[in-house]
Amino acid sequence: MSTEKPPLASGLARTRSEQLYETLAAAIKSPFGSMDANGVPATAPAAIGGGRETLSRKSSRRLMMSASPGRSGGAGTHIRKSRSAQLKLELEEVSSGAALSRASSASLGLSFSFTGFAMPPEEISDSKPFSDDEMIPEDNEAGNKKPKFQAEPTLPIFLKFKEVTYKVKIKKLTSPPADKEILSGINGSVNPGEVLALMGPSGSGKTTLLSLLGGRISQSSIGGSVSYNDKPYSKYLKSKIGFVTQDDVLFPHLTVKETLTYAARLRLPKTLTREQKEQRAIEVIQELGLERCQDTMIGGAFVRGVSGGERKRVSIGNEIIINPSLLLLDEPTSGLDSTTALRTIQMLHDIAEAGKTVITTIHQPSSRLFHRFDKLILLGRGNLLYFGKSSEALVYFSSIGCSPLITMNPAEFCLISPMDRVQVGNSGREPQTGKPSPAAVHEYLVEAYETRVAEQEKKKLTDPVPLDEEAKAKVLRLKRQWGASWWEQYCILFSRGLKERRHEYFSWLRVTQVLSTAVILGLLWWQSDIRTPRGLQDQAGLLFFIAVFWGFFPVFTAIFAFPQERAMLNKERAADMYRLSAYFLARTTSDLPLDFILPSLFLLVVYFMTGLRLSPYPFFLSMLTVFLCIIASQGLGLAIGAILMDLKKATTLASVTVMTFMLAGGFFVKKVPVFISWIRYLSFNYHTYKLLLKVQYKDFAQSINGMRIDNGLTEVVALVVMIFGYRLLAYLSLRQMKITT
């Protein structure tokens, strides 16, 4: 036998590895003919042995066309095979010497398959079925190692809920308020180490049930019983419950690392040092596979940031960072592609394996996701249609006469309209048309569950939790524990506020707005002369405009503060991350350093261009007066925003209020009627205008434009009262605000 390289047709290309070529040489025991059908020498070293060129898709297609027996006139036939058919090689083709090549356009790269040789067993990847873990795509960000989510011990929570009902009052204009039933007689349970999925069409009550189990709904409006280790819910369980909302409520200008670090510093126990808390945040970043984007901003509607899957993992990281015993997630796969969704559900399994109890709502998962859930609750119009193992759902529906007419995704079968794809047998409600009505199908499914399964499941709920009384009592002995002292909370929130809002304050649009206004004022009042009555009156108009501008501008900046952060405030207060007083003080004071920069630039431009008193004392007093006006007007904006919590309503009210204060400021109307003159004393424009006149002209005149110049003490006291009074009103309004889910 010859050991030389077998001569091949010129149309054949080298395989992807030298090992494959050696297998080819070993399998072919007799050499081919020296010439092919086209008269081309059979040996093609440039294509096989000697050449190392990489063939392009077009050139490989041309080579295939020339080497195909169908085109060369050879005795062989041109055969197209699937990948599995290529692996099954025929011995007759080997003996006949037919060498076929094919480029697979459906594969990820360009691959060539050869007949005429035997594939070694280790090369046949399709000879054994994929395991469940092999079905998961490799997470290049998370690495190949399987994460261990918070493996330290935690309090196990066995959650049971029996005959749970929930109603809300619907207000109607033409009739008395009526009760609408959202949930009706829901039963179920989930244990540590299990993942329970809540499924159902939109409006079936999934999110309501999840919020109810997480303690996010007032217990007084709930019927039935919900127990945690056979004990009732206590608000101090918040420290053991993680709740991931459907919308990713995150600060857009913070990075991934900053977001998780602030959460760790606020939520982890006081017993840990700052370094230990920051190290925990880094560990969570590694476990969630966020190392590559840890220094990238989260992003939002107008800010580019991380991807949707990474944002969802950050939201989950905010909750697992406290090592919760019970983790609840509201549709964590919504908006994600199938690969990211599968990776997210696998992450939940890893969390549950560490002894946590996991409950998630999910909307129409793929079949691979569906089979990864341990338990399933199927809801329809607030009623329970199925509770049990997810793997037994189709068996149950088949047992009651409901089966899909075609092969389909089990989750899709459970969610789509039964009239289109499901055949209902023995219901006794099918009309002569052959299709049952939606109401009839729903009623049939509810009754079938009640008569066949419900009683058996209710008996299981009466079984005691496999914990001793000491472990059960820990649920009731839990106390509210803040992760940081009041001062530490204030410092953390102050630092977070500075980092988040500095991008907004120093945006090119805002800087351009302030500086362009300053330049225009400087040009209009260029080196104005106060030695004449006309010049003095013109310069007084400039001072009134400064008082109005820096009274109007901060109001409409601060008015957005609390309405825009309402979702974040609800989320963090529901998790007991900090005291409301610490948040409010940090939120209002973190704006002050930023609020002083632009007014300082504004006055530096205007003051020297317009020829105001060139002396240090008047300059710094004028700047201090403007700062008092800014803080007072900012307090009014915070109060209006906190009271209404609606941007449209707040903007309308602020516009009317600021306009009234401006008109009553003493410049446009010299003699205000007595019955309305009291408004000017509530106007920060009025007090600011009087102070600016005093600073500039106390040595020139006793009154200007009918405005008497006095010592200014009354105006300073009035502005200080406004600064604290408006903020106190805003704080009390936030205190009365209900935490909504």
Side-chain angles (χ1 to χ4, degrees), residues 120-243:
E122 59 271 13
E123 293 289 336
I124 304 177
S125 60
D126 289 343
S127 60
K128 59 180 181 179
F130 287 110
S131 67
D132 200 35
D133 291 335
E134 291 172 343
M135 297 291 284
I136 304 177
E138 180 183 355
D139 189 351
N140 294 325
E141 297 178 356
N144 295 328
K145 62 180 181 179
K146 191 173 182 180
K148 296 180 180 179
F149 285 92
Q150 308 301 328
E152 64 258 27
T154 184
L155 175 67
I157 289 183
F158 293 79
L159 178 60
K160 297 179 182 180
F161 42 101
K162 185 176 181 181
E163 296 294 338
V164 171
T165 60
Y166 180 67
K167 297 179 180 180
V168 294
K169 288 188 177 295
I170 306 297
K171 296 182 179 179
K172 299 180 180 180
L173 297 177
T174 58
S175 59
D179 290 338
K180 181 179 179 181
E181 194 171 49
I182 306 298
L183 297 174
S184 175
I186 309 300
N187 300 287
S189 64
V190 58
N191 301 328
E194 295 179 340
V195 179
L196 170 65
L198 307 180
M199 284 180 54
S202 298
S204 60
K206 303 186 299 296
T207 301
T208 302
L209 179 59
L210 189 75
S211 302
L212 186 149
L213 298 178
R216 301 298 179 98
I217 295 179
S218 175
Q219 299 295 309
S220 59
S221 58
I222 300 173
S225 63
V226 181
S227 64
Y228 305 78
N229 292 347
D230 290 340
K231 304 296 181 181
Y233 175 79
S234 170
K235 63 180 181 179
Y236 302 122
L237 271 173
K238 291 180 181 179
S239 61
K240 293 297 181 181
I241 297 177
F243 196 101

Side-chain angles (χ1 to χ4, degrees), residues 77-94 98-106 111-117:
T77 59
H78 185 65
I79 302 174
R80 293 182 179 270
K81 294 185 177 181
S82 64
R83 186 184 180 197
S84 59
Q86 295 168 20
L87 299 178
K88 187 178 181 180
L89 305 176
E90 300 291 343
L91 185 59
E92 291 79 10
E93 295 179 359
V94 177
L100 306 179
S101 68
R102 182 173 67 86
S104 175
S105 60
S111 61
F112 295 93
S113 56
F114 293 89
T115 58
F117 65 92

Side-chain angles (χ1 to χ4, degrees), residues 525-741:
W525 275 273
W526 176 262
Q527 297 300 319
S528 57
D529 189 4
I530 63 172
R531 289 175 294 184
T532 63
R534 185 179 182 87
L536 185 63
Q537 185 176 1
D538 288 345
Q539 201 172 86
L542 170 65
L543 298 179
F544 183 76
F545 180 85
I546 293 175
V548 170
F549 182 76
W550 288 111
F552 178 89
F553 193 72
V555 168
F556 287 90
T557 301
I559 208 171
F560 295 94
F562 295 126
Q564 284 183 339
E565 292 188 8
R566 181 176 185 175
M568 180 66 72
L569 184 60
N570 275 328
K571 169 190 169 184
E572 294 180 339
R573 284 190 65 195
D576 276 350
M577 288 183 64
Y578 45 71
R579 296 173 176 87
L580 180 61
S581 57
Y583 163 80
F584 179 82
L585 193 61
R587 180 64 181 84
T588 54
T589 56
S590 62
D591 292 337
L592 298 181
L594 303 173
D595 282 330
F596 291 162
I597 296 175
L598 289 182
S600 300
L601 295 177
F602 176 89
L603 285 177
L604 284 174
V605 174
V606 171
Y607 201 89
F608 296 102
M609 288 183 68
T610 58
L612 296 174
R613 292 182 61 184
L614 296 178
S615 177
Y617 183 74
F619 174 75
F620 287 109
L621 282 183
S622 299
M623 188 170 290
L624 179 61
T625 301
V626 171
F627 288 162
L628 287 175
C629 178
I630 290 173
I631 302 173
S633 58
Q634 188 186 64
L636 176 62
L638 292 172
I640 294 176
I643 292 172
L644 298 180
M645 279 296 178
D646 184 273
L647 290 180
K648 290 184 178 180
K649 296 179 181 178
T651 303
T652 303
L653 179 59
S655 301
V656 175
T657 305
V658 171
M659 187 181 300
T660 304
F661 286 173
M662 180 183 66
L663 294 176
F667 183 80
F668 296 106
V669 182
K670 303 298 184 296
K671 187 177 181 180
V672 181
V674 178
F675 63 86
I676 202 173
S677 60
W678 57 270
I679 294 180
R680 66 167 53 185
Y681 300 106
L682 301 178
S683 170
F684 40 77
N685 301 124
Y686 171 75
H687 299 295
T688 304
Y689 179 47
K690 287 192 68 174
L691 283 176
L692 289 175
L693 290 177
K694 170 183 168 46
V695 170
Q696 294 295 324
Y697 311 126
K698 67 176 182 178
D699 298 331
F700 290 90
Q702 296 297 324
S703 64
I704 298 175
N705 292 338
M707 184 77 66
R708 184 180 177 182
I709 300 177
D710 51 17
N711 58 8
L713 180 61
T714 304
E715 287 73 22
V716 172
V717 172
L719 289 175
V720 172
V721 171
M722 291 180 188
I723 289 172
F724 291 99
Y726 286 139
R727 282 168 169 77
L728 178 61
L729 182 61
Y731 175 74
L732 295 177
S733 301
L734 289 180
R735 176 65 67 183
Q736 297 300 320
M737 185 185 71
K738 294 182 179 180
I739 300 177
T740 57
T741 57

Side-chain angles (χ1 to χ4, degrees), residues 391-425:
S391 58
E392 299 175 357
L394 291 183
V395 178
Y396 163 74
F397 283 111
S398 297
S399 67
I400 63 173
C402 296
S403 58
L405 301 178
I406 59 174
T407 303
M408 61 194 309
N409 178 3
E412 185 180 1
F413 165 73
C414 294
L415 291 175
I416 65 169
S417 176
M419 289 68 66
D420 296 332
R421 301 289 181 88
V422 180
Q423 182 178 6
V424 180

